[in-house]
């Protein structure tokens, strides 16, 4: 007699490894990637079968239920999850759970929802409505359903004023039933293109041809200045893939998922475009997942987690704005969708295109080393040259007028010509600090090492790190003086200053003014109309938008990034600067870009202002090479948060003390984090650095079990971040 099978189940718990369960007698072992329901402590959890083997173990608990005949996570996707779990040192069960749509996590069947319809049962069809003479509402419902043999949706029933209780009564008699009908898959189209392509210029053509010619896995860096027509390259490279019946996965940054972007894909192609974003309901998300898995969804556009979408017939992966920080998840399972996109393409044997005007230094180095095929677009598609960035010396700006007279004058002139101007300031609120004129006290967040930002229209001070808010103080918190003032400027202050000076609408775009659903779209639509206006905003303005009538960009206060202690500061500042500058003058006329800076003589500021991202990147890459920083060295950060700094440091010190030596890997710290206190917790960190990935992972393989086993780790919160982008 064969021994009963034991299955190893990956469960959504913060522990590495799988858990063993016995299968009920007579139940065949499910394949890897099928869901099972199992008892875990006092709970019942849904997990995924990882493996199975015969076993004589008697003590095991039994699987309660096998939920799938077919894996919900196909072998290729499963392998990606395993690789990611190993690389990020994150429990496999949690990775798999992260990847599953919520309804599948809850044990729902892995199929599309279909449409709900009410219709007559066989018995109902033979009922004489006269029998319901004393129940006129039921009679009406029965007659109506009799006239619609395919049934009626809840919306139709409501439009026909059919009463719910009457329907329910009929259902109790089993005369009507509620069914879910699967929606028919969309018909295959003969011609995938719905509108003609633009005439590609020579550089675009070379890029498109290279991507189309790729066989199997090939990574590309599409390195093209803003407005060079990268999207047109994607669209033309996609066409033959779609025509061959295959699917294209497109990853975009969080705020790049604008209606404008979607429209360009939907307009060009006649095939279904499916959007994956955080605003979907659980049902919509599962339906999109199923449509992708079954191959009905042909173009999938989504933010970082879309990299885990199952694909029946993958043909091409595109990562748009591939430098964007939102591709890295900053909590829980801290993966980088940019890197996973490349792994995924490798596994699926399809090309992957990383597009950016300001590629991450990591990606640029891969292209320089010849590991990514480097495609360059040096000119703007419309013909207008990239705008030069004029540096304005901001050392003497008065506090009450943060915009320099030159900048203000340029704005009024732009408006007078009937055009639009943009003022970029990456700080929301009215003023970043409230202070005492008598003693210099500044209002700080009680829970963080940070200042409170004044939001004037809301009569509040807010901490942008933890969300703490309090009312505007009447008196100094130190000396009691009422002589308080604000300093510095945020977008809210700029908006009101500009409204005083300009004879045109001022449109502010930041997280405060776009919180309501649809408000961002409404503001963008107003700008699209093209009437004279001034836009004021944060980095929300920097990405993916086309403002055809915008001919001036004023950039304020980006010095901090260039001078930042964080080694990624200058790279990120340069990316943001050039993305914003790229908004100006996008059609056939050159735009003007002014940058206010207090450090115009700083080498990096000068290089960035010269608009030559590659020259700046060369300088930064040389610095990184010298310091053994990414992409030349590899980093992982173990961060700990606790109620006291002693606790946080104590845990990390114990880790370092007991950690074995690993040749080629170094441990730096522990040290208090640059931001020592956040949201009421003290933060400390340990940096692991190595020139070799295997050495880094070797050390992390020793560090993680050690950290999990230390009792001091249970008194604090800690996590590991592999390839961290935020070291603060
Ligand atoms: P990027 O993504 O590189 O910033 P886009 O793809 O958004 O650039 O293109 C910028 C503008 O140039 C768009 O309005 C686009 O329609 C236009 N464009 C792109 N390629 C061409 C082309 N070959 N001929 C004419 N216009 C083009
Ligand atoms: Zn004071
Ligand atoms: Zn705070």
């Amino acid at each position: 007699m064969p021994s009963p099978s034991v299955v190893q189940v990956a469960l959504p718990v913060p522990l590495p490894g799988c858990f063993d369960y016995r299968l009920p007698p007579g139940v065949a072992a499910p394949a890897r990637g099928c869901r099972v329901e199992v008892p875990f402590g006092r709970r019942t959890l849904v997990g995924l079968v990882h493996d199975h083997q015969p076993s004589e173990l008697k003590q095991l608990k039994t699987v309660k239920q096998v939920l799938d005949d077919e894996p919900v996570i196909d072998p290729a996707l499963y392998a990606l999850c395993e690789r990611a779990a190993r690389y990020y040192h994150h429990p496999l069960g949690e990775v798999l759970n992260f990847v599953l749509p919520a309804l599948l996590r809850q044990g729902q069947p892995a199929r599309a929802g279909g449409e709900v319809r009410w219709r007559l049962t066989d018995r109902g069809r033979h009922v004489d409505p006269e029998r319901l003479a004393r129940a006129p509402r039921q009679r009406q419902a029965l007659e109506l359903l009799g006239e619609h043999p395919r049934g009626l949706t809840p919306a139709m029933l409501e439009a026909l004023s059919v009463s719910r209780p009457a329907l329910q009564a009929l259902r109790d008699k089993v005369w009507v039933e509620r069914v879910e009908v699967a929606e028919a898959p969309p018909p295959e189209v003969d011609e995938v293109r719905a509108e003609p392509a633009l005439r590609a210029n020579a550089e675009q053509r070379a890029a498109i041809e290279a991507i189309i010619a790729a066989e199997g896995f090939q990574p590309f860096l599409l390195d093209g200045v803003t407005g060079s027509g990268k999207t047109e390259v994607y669209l033309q490279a996609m066409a033959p893939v779609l025509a061959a019946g295959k699917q294209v996965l497109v990853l975009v940054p969080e705020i790049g998922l604008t209606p404008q972007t979607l429209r360009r894909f939907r307009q060009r192609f006649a095939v279904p475009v499916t959007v994956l974003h955080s605003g979907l309901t659980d049902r919509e998300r599962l339906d999109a997942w199923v449509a992708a898995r079954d191959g009905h969804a042909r173009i999938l556009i989504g933010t970082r987690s879309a990299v885990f979408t199952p694909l029946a017939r993958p043909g091409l992966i595109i990562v748009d704005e591939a430098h964007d920080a939102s591709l890295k998840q900053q909590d829980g399972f801290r993966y980088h969708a940019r890197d996973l996109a490349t792994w995924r393409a490798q596994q699926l044997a399809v090309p992957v295109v990383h597009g950016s005007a300001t590629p991450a230094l990591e990606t640029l180095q891969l292209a320089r080393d010849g590991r990514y095929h480097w495609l360059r677009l040096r000119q703007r598609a419309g013909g207008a040259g990239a705008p030069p960035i004029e540096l304005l010396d901001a050392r003497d700006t008065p506090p009450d007028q943060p915009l320099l007279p030159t900048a203000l004058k340029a704005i009024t002139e732009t408006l007078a010509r009937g055009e639009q101007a943009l003022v970029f300031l990456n700080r929301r609120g009215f003023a970043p600090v409230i202070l005492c004129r008598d003693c210099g006290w500044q209002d700080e967040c009680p829970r963080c090492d940070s200042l409170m930002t004044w939001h004037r229209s809301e009569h509040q001070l807010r901490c942008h790190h933890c969300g703490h808010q309090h009312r505007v103080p009447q008196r100094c918190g130190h000396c009691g003086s009422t002589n308080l003032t604000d300093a510095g400027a945020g977008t809210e202050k700029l908006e009101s200053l500009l409204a005083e000076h300009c004879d045109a609408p001022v449109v502010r775009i930041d997280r405060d003014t776009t919180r309501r659903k649809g408000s961002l779209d409404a503001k963008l639509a107003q700008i699209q109309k093209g009437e004279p206006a001034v836009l004021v905003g944060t980095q929300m303005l920097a990405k993916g938008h086309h403002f055809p009538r915008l001919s001036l960009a004023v950039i304020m206060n980006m010095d901090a990034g260039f001078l930042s202690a964080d080694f990624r500061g200058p790279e990120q500042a340069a990316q943001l600067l050039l993305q914003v500058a790229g908004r100006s003058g996008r059609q056939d006329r050159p735009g003007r870009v002014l940058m206010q800076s207090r450090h115009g003589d700083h080498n990096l500021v000068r290089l960035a202002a010269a608009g030559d991202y590659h020259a700046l990147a060369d300088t930064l890459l040389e610095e990184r090479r010298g310091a053994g920083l990414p992409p030349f060295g590899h980093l992982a950060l173990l961060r700990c948060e606790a109620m006291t700094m002693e606790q946080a440091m104590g845990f990390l010190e114990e880790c370092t003390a007991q950690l074995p030596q690993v040749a080629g890997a170094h441990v730096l710290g522990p040290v208090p984090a640059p931001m020592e206190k956040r949201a009421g917790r003290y933060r400390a960190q340990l940096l692991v650095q190595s020139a070799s990935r295997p050495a880094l992972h070797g050390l992390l393989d020793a560090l993680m079990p050690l950290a999990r086993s230390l009792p001091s780790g249970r008194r604090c919160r800690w996590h590991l971040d592999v390839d961290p982008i935020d070291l603060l």
Side-chain angles (χ1 to χ4, degrees):
M1 208 178 91
S3 347
S5 273
V6 167
V7 283
Q8 277 83 53
V9 182
L11 290 174
V13 292
L15 297 166
C18 293
F19 296 81
D20 287 338
Y21 288 89
R22 203 189 348 213
L23 278 173
V27 172
R32 170 172 296 188
C34 289
R35 289 171 303 159
V36 288
E37 228 176 57
V38 297
F40 188 81
R42 290 191 198 157
R43 295 179 291 164
T44 297
L45 295 179
V46 173
L48 289 188
V49 171
H50 179 70
D51 212 345
H52 54 82
Q53 55 218 195
S55 161
E56 298 295 345
L57 285 174
K58 293 259 166 3
Q59 260 71 32
L60 294 179
K61 291 198 173 164
T62 307
V63 168
K64 285 190 164 175
Q65 205 183 341
V66 175
L67 296 174
D68 303 301
D69 305 328
E70 297 273 308
V72 281
I73 296 203
D74 64 70
L77 190 55
Y78 199 96
L80 181 79
C81 293
E82 279 192 286
R83 183 172 175 186
R86 273 198 308 276
Y87 185 88
Y88 293 103
H89 297 261
H90 199 78
L92 176 63
E94 288 201 333
V95 172
L96 293 165
N97 191 60
F98 172 82
V99 165
L100 285 182
L103 291 181
L104 295 188
R105 272 182 241 155
Q106 293 158 18
Q108 302 272 329
R111 50 179 158 75
E115 192 180 52
V116 172
R117 282 179 179 263
W118 289 78
R119 65 181 184 197
L120 294 184
T121 59
D122 280 342
R123 275 170 68 189
R125 265 190 286 280
H126 296 103
V127 171
D128 179 356
E130 286 309 316
R131 285 178 62 186
L132 292 168
R134 297 233 302 253
R137 288 174 166 274
Q138 289 184 41
R139 177 180 172 156
Q140 177 222 9
L142 191 81
E143 284 176 343
L144 268 172
L145 289 173
E147 290 160 19
H148 295 93
R150 287 187 55 242
L152 292 168
T153 64
M156 295 165 169
L157 289 164
E158 193 168 316
L160 295 164
S161 328
V162 173
S163 114
R164 282 242 135 214
L167 269 182
Q168 205 52 54
L170 291 172
R171 192 186 189 185
D172 293 343
K173 298 184 178 110
V174 203
W175 291 351
V176 311
E177 63 186 353
R178 179 185 174 281
V179 290
E180 276 186 28
V181 259
E183 280 178 73
E188 280 297 316
V189 289
D190 295 336
E191 174 57 54
V192 295
R193 233 192 307 264
E195 65 169 19
L198 298 177
R199 245 182 71 129
N201 61 34
E203 285 182 328
Q204 284 176 316
R205 205 172 326 120
I208 295 161
E209 282 168 6
I211 300 167
I212 291 176
E215 280 176 28
F217 170 62
Q218 194 170 343
F220 292 91
L221 168 58
L222 179 60
D223 177 355
V225 297
T226 47
S228 59
K230 293 184 288 296
T231 310
E232 187 61 31
V233 171
Y234 305 147
L235 292 171
Q236 295 195 32
M238 285 163 68
V241 175
L242 295 169
K246 294 187 188 158
Q247 296 168 291
V248 181
L249 175 65
V250 186
L251 302 184
V252 295
E254 269 157 13
I255 50 186
L257 201 52
T258 58
Q260 226 176 350
T261 315
L262 287 179
R263 206 171 316 123
R264 288 178 80 178
F265 287 89
R266 290 209 159 111
Q267 260 170 13
R268 179 64 59 90
F269 297 111
V271 298
V273 177
T274 301
V275 186
L276 300 150
H277 59 82
S278 54
L280 297 183
T281 64
D282 289 349
R283 184 75 250 170
E284 288 168 333
R285 179 167 299 275
L286 178 56
D287 287 354
W289 160 283
V290 170
R293 180 197 67 186
D294 295 345
H296 302 320
R298 301 294 299 286
I299 301 174
L300 287 126
I301 306 187
T303 48
R304 62 175 177 260
S305 63
V307 75
F308 295 107
T309 311
L311 298 167
R313 293 192 297 277
L316 175 64
I317 299 178
I318 292 167
V319 187
D320 189 25
E321 309 285 4
H323 62 279
D324 196 88
S326 74
L327 288 164
K328 175 85 158 69
Q329 172 124 327
Q330 301 281 22
D331 55 16
F333 169 35
R334 293 163 195 262
Y335 66 98
H336 204 313
R338 174 193 73 203
D339 298 337
L340 291 194
T342 298
W343 297 358
R344 185 112 205 255
Q346 193 172 21
Q347 250 173 2
L348 299 173
V350 300
V352 57
V353 181
H354 294 264
S356 175
T358 52
L361 297 184
E362 284 86 350
T363 316
L364 210 48
Q365 189 59 29
L366 286 167
R368 289 167 148 210
D369 290 343
R371 291 167 59 195
Y372 278 23
H373 188 137
W374 199 349
L375 306 168
R376 302 212 40 190
L377 307 178
R378 292 178 173 83
Q379 299 151 19
R380 286 192 165 194
I389 300 178
E390 300 163 45
L391 273 173
L392 305 182
D393 184 351
R395 270 174 293 194
D396 303 321
T397 38
D400 53 338
Q401 181 46 281
L403 273 165
L404 289 168
T406 321
L408 259 180
K409 184 157 162 275
I411 294 169
T412 26
E413 285 168 2
T414 304
L415 295 173
R417 282 197 308 274
E419 296 168 356
Q420 297 174 336
L422 172 159
V423 181
F424 171 78
L425 174 60
N426 209 10
R427 180 188 279 156
R428 61 202 168 84
F430 191 80
V433 52
I434 293 277
L435 52 84
C436 170
R437 277 198 227 253
D438 291 339
C439 76
W441 170 85
Q442 302 183 326
D443 199 355
E444 285 175 15
C445 174
R447 312 178 64 217
C448 303
D449 283 332
S450 79
L451 296 171
M452 297 293 287
T453 301
W454 182 21
H455 289 255
R456 191 176 69 172
S457 60
E458 273 122 16
H459 313 287
Q460 258 179 357
L461 298 185
R462 279 199 202 138
C463 171
H464 288 180
H465 293 281
C466 72
H468 173 82
Q469 1 188 304
H470 57 232
R471 281 203 292 187
V472 184
Q474 301 300 314
R475 291 174 175 282
C476 168
H478 178 67
C479 73
S481 157
T482 53
N483 196 4
L484 300 183
T485 183
D486 64 288
T491 45
E492 191 187 348
K493 183 184 276 185
L494 275 183
E495 178 189 27
S496 73
L497 286 173
L498 285 161
E500 278 169 34
H501 280 88
C502 301
D503 198 14
V506 178
V507 182
R508 168 155 69 103
I509 296 189
D510 58 27
R511 268 204 285 139
D512 296 320
T513 63
T514 56
R515 205 157 279 147
R516 256 182 319 114
K517 201 171 175 233
S519 53
L520 174 61
D521 297 347
K523 283 172 186 281
L524 293 173
Q526 182 184 350
I527 302 299
Q528 295 301 327
K529 278 197 307 194
E531 281 152 27
V534 188
L535 266 105
V536 182
T538 57
Q539 59 179 343
M540 287 189 79
L541 281 178
K543 280 159 214 167
H545 308 297
H546 303 291
F547 304 122
R549 298 287 295 170
L550 194 108
S551 60
L552 171 71
V554 177
I555 291 155
M556 311 211 16
N557 208 356
M558 292 212 50
D559 294 333
F562 286 104
L563 307 175
S564 167
D566 179 356
F567 75 91
R568 289 189 202 273
E571 176 189 357
Q572 287 164 351
Q575 288 167 340
L576 195 51
L577 173 65
L578 295 179
Q579 297 284 342
V580 177
R583 298 308 115 198
S584 175
R586 291 181 57 96
Q587 225 78 51
D588 44 1
R589 17 203 195 118
R592 193 170 173 208
V593 183
L594 307 177
M595 178 182 175
Q596 297 194 176
S597 170
R598 291 169 194 271
H599 297 273
D601 47 359
H602 190 286
N603 182 34
L604 295 177
V605 176
R606 273 219 313 274
L607 278 172
D612 187 347
Y613 182 74
H614 289 88
L616 180 93
D618 287 348
T619 307
L620 294 175
L621 278 168
E622 278 324 298
E623 284 178 18
R624 299 244 190 124
R625 191 193 295 275
L629 289 167
F632 305 100
H634 310 293
L635 300 178
L637 188 74
L638 184 67
R639 176 176 285 142
C640 179
E641 300 186 346
M643 298 318 287
T644 66
M645 185 53 87
E646 291 69 43
Q647 265 182 5
M649 288 290 286
F651 166 67
L652 296 177
E653 274 158 7
E654 270 190 77
C655 287
T656 38
Q658 297 185 34
L659 199 59
Q661 294 279 330
V662 171
H666 316 278
V667 175
L668 308 170
V671 290
M675 190 170 180
E676 286 192 20
K677 190 177 167 201
R678 184 146 97 193
R681 287 171 178 270
Y682 291 86
R683 309 160 76 237
Q685 57 197 33
L686 195 79
L687 195 64
V688 184
Q689 185 181 28
S690 176
S692 125
R693 285 245 176 242
L696 182 85
H697 286 288
L699 196 129
L700 298 180
D701 282 337
L703 176 60
M704 290 303 279
L706 171 64
R708 285 194 187 100
S709 71
L710 289 175
S712 55
R714 282 178 218 132
R715 289 192 290 274
C716 44
R717 279 194 224 151
W718 59 269
H719 66 257
L720 181 75
D721 192 352
V722 178
D723 302 335
I725 57 170
D726 174 16
L727 298 175
L728 299 180

